[in-house]
């Protein structure tokens, strides 16, 4: 028998395709990462991330207004301090680079959601995400105290949400306690709950100058081979008080996004990381792929896998295309 079932009937034209489309990407789903560098009048291109820059705090008001005008609800801030030390003290200075950045943005864009990355690797001279012992191992519990100070200093500077990305055990609980004691019981935590030790962070480390001086991050970030471990990590963070959980990177981990989305009721964020962005940019620059179509397809896939929101360096370009 000739097929009775003809799936192509529902693909015949764009109107029909629009009607049966299951996944929609909106500017509302996007979070734009910003690198803030100590200094003045700086807009420094990041070589490995074409189209992305490091901005000094005074350059943020114009950028923030642009982001608001595009309908993007949130930004994620990373800091690049002028001085680093072995304890990452620059991360919790009252007038640190992120703390300045938060104030600059909130001054001109009070409704733009300002999320801050809470980690030490951009502030330590050794580039690790925590404090080291005499054998150069990252000490978990000593690092927690510092992370709590960092989160509290961001809260005091006026951020709307903190996002711990260090992967120390117990950090969500410690940060929750510190925020509550500091009078910030309403400030949500978006935890990088499921963060893999990924080679796709390469361009970010160039951007932030945070490549570890020795070793790697495998003793705290997750093994790319594991998925049940993702559930354990997510469960631990939710039990400690995470309001939103994250899977990172995104495209190589769509299966992980799916299982975490199925298992947890918490809103789920996915991070399309620097290497994912750089790959599309680089291939498109060669004329080997179509940039806009690949950007849209990758973000659609991440949403389809179950992410409610996506951190992406494409946020601004994508919002322009969507509108
Ligand atoms: C800080 C942090 C990193 C990224 C986000 N937060 C770097 C790392 O863990 O080495 C990577 C983001 C990206 O690649 O876009 N720990």
């Amino acid at each position: 028998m000739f097929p009775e079932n003809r799936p192509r009937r529902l693909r015949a034209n764009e109107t029909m395709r629009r009607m049966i489309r299951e996944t929609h990407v909106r500017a509302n789903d996007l979070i734009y990462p910003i690198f803030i560098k100590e200094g003045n009048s700086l807009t420094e291109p990041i070589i490995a991330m074409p189209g992305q820059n490091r901005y000094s705090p005074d350059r943020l008001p114009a950028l923030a207004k642009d982001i608001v005008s595009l309908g993007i609800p949130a930004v994620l801030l990373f800091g690049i301090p002028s001085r680093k030390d072995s304890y990452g003290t620059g991360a919790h200075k009252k007038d640190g680079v992120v703390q300045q950045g938060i104030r600059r943005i909130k001054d001109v864009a009070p409704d733009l959601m300002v999320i801050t990355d809470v980690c030490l690797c951009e502030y330590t001279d050794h580039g690790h995400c925590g404090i080291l012992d005499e054998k150069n191992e990252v000490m978990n519990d000593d690092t927690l105290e510092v992370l709590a100070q960092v989160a509290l200093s961001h809260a005091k500077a006026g951020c709307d949400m903190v996002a711990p990305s260090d992967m120390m055990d117990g950090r969500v609980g410690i940060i929750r306690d510190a925020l509550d004691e500091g009078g910030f019981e309403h400030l949500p935590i978006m935890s990088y709950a499921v963060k893999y030790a990924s080679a796709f962070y390469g361009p970010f480390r160039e951007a932030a100058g945070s490549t570890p001086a020795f070793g790697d991050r495998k003793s705290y970030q997750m093994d790319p081979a594991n998925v049940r471990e993702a559930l354990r990590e997510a469960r631990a963070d939710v039990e400690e008080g995470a309001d939103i959980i994250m899977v990172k990177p995104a495209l190589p981990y769509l299966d992980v996004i799916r299982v975490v989305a199925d298992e947890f009721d918490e809103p789920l964020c996915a991070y399309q990381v620097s290497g994912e962005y750089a790959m599309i940019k680089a291939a498109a620059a060669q004329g080997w792929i179509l940039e806009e179509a690949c950007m849209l397809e990758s973000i659609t896939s991440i949403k389809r896998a179950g992410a409610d929101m996506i951190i992406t360096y494409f946020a601004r370009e994508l919002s322009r295309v969507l509108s």
Side-chain angles (χ1 to χ4, degrees):
M1 273 299 283
F2 199 75
E4 277 173 42
N5 190 357
R6 291 178 181 270
R8 289 187 55 193
R9 285 181 198 124
L10 300 183
R11 294 183 208 131
N13 57 61
E14 180 55 16
T15 308
M16 181 59 88
R17 290 192 290 271
R18 254 171 56 207
M19 287 177 70
I20 66 152
R21 188 157 294 145
E22 300 172 34
T23 308
H24 298 270
V25 177
R26 310 160 303 164
N28 243 352
D29 305 323
L30 308 176
I31 300 171
Y32 184 61
I34 303 177
F35 296 95
I36 312 172
K37 181 172 175 175
E38 216 145 2
N40 267 303
S41 311
L42 300 176
T43 301
E44 256 179 35
I46 300 165
I47 306 303
M49 300 170 69
Q52 304 304 311
N53 302 294
R54 303 179 195 91
Y55 299 94
S56 52
D58 59 305
R59 289 283 161 95
L60 296 176
L63 179 63
K65 286 182 197 160
D66 178 61
I67 292 165
V68 171
S69 75
L70 291 168
I72 299 167
V75 292
L76 174 64
L77 305 187
F78 295 97
I80 305 161
S82 49
R83 246 181 271 129
K84 308 186 183 214
D85 60 31
S86 57
Y87 295 99
T89 48
H92 53 80
K93 282 201 324 213
K94 195 168 173 228
D95 209 27
V97 62
V98 163
Q99 291 80 353
Q100 290 176 46
I102 297 168
R103 292 188 198 101
R104 293 286 191 147
I105 294 172
K106 291 310 269 187
D107 273 353
V108 297
D111 295 331
L112 182 61
M113 160 101 13
V114 173
I115 310 169
T116 56
D117 185 86
V118 173
C119 195
L120 300 186
C121 60
E122 297 120 61
Y123 301 88
T124 51
D125 48 16
H126 46 72
H128 278 287
C129 302
I131 311 291
L132 304 179
D133 67 11
E134 59 290 340
K135 284 181 283 174
N136 279 342
E137 308 270 5
V138 175
M139 295 188 288
N140 193 85
D141 298 11
D142 296 60
T143 300
L144 296 182
E145 308 293 324
V146 189
L147 292 168
Q149 285 184 58
V150 176
L152 191 56
S153 78
H154 291 173
K156 286 180 177 162
C159 79
D160 299 295
M161 179 149 70
V162 292
S165 73
D166 52 282
M167 289 300 278
M168 298 302 122
D169 296 331
R171 84 256 205 239
V172 174
I174 287 269
I175 289 173
R176 185 70 272 158
D177 288 348
L179 291 175
D180 291 355
E181 279 163 32
F184 296 100
E185 54 279 281
H186 296 300
L187 203 86
I189 298 175
M190 175 164 82
S191 79
Y192 286 71
V194 181
K195 179 174 176 181
Y196 288 92
S198 171
F200 288 97
Y201 307 151
F204 175 97
R205 293 179 189 172
E206 183 233 296
S210 63
T211 307
F214 51 85
D216 52 44
R217 303 205 200 293
K218 290 179 185 165
S219 79
Y220 39 103
Q221 298 180 351
M222 288 171 51
D223 184 338
N226 295 351
V227 65
R228 294 201 307 275
E229 187 181 6
L231 296 175
R232 297 199 293 276
E233 279 286 357
R235 196 169 301 121
D237 284 12
V238 167
E239 280 167 6
E240 288 172 33
D243 301 281
I244 299 176
I245 52 180
M246 192 199 302
V247 172
K248 174 186 173 193
L251 208 57
Y253 297 86
L254 293 180
D255 58 324
V256 181
I257 295 173
R258 173 44 59 202
V259 295
V260 173
D262 286 345
E263 194 71 22
F264 293 89
D265 296 332
E266 284 68 21
L268 179 60
C269 180
Y271 197 144
Q272 183 182 49
V273 302
S274 56
E276 298 177 62
Y277 174 81
M279 284 196 301
I280 293 177
K281 283 284 177 184
Q286 297 280 348
W288 294 340
I289 60 172
L290 294 175
E291 178 172 344
E292 190 179 302
C294 289
M295 161 178 85
L296 257 168
E297 188 175 329
S298 63
I299 297 289
T300 303
S301 308
I302 296 164
K303 263 210 96 174
R304 190 196 61 228
D308 299 298
M309 57 193 99
I310 301 164
I311 303 170
T312 174
Y313 303 97
F314 281 120
R316 292 165 76 204
E317 275 173 82
L318 192 55
S319 310
R320 272 185 216 112
V321 170
L322 294 172
S323 60

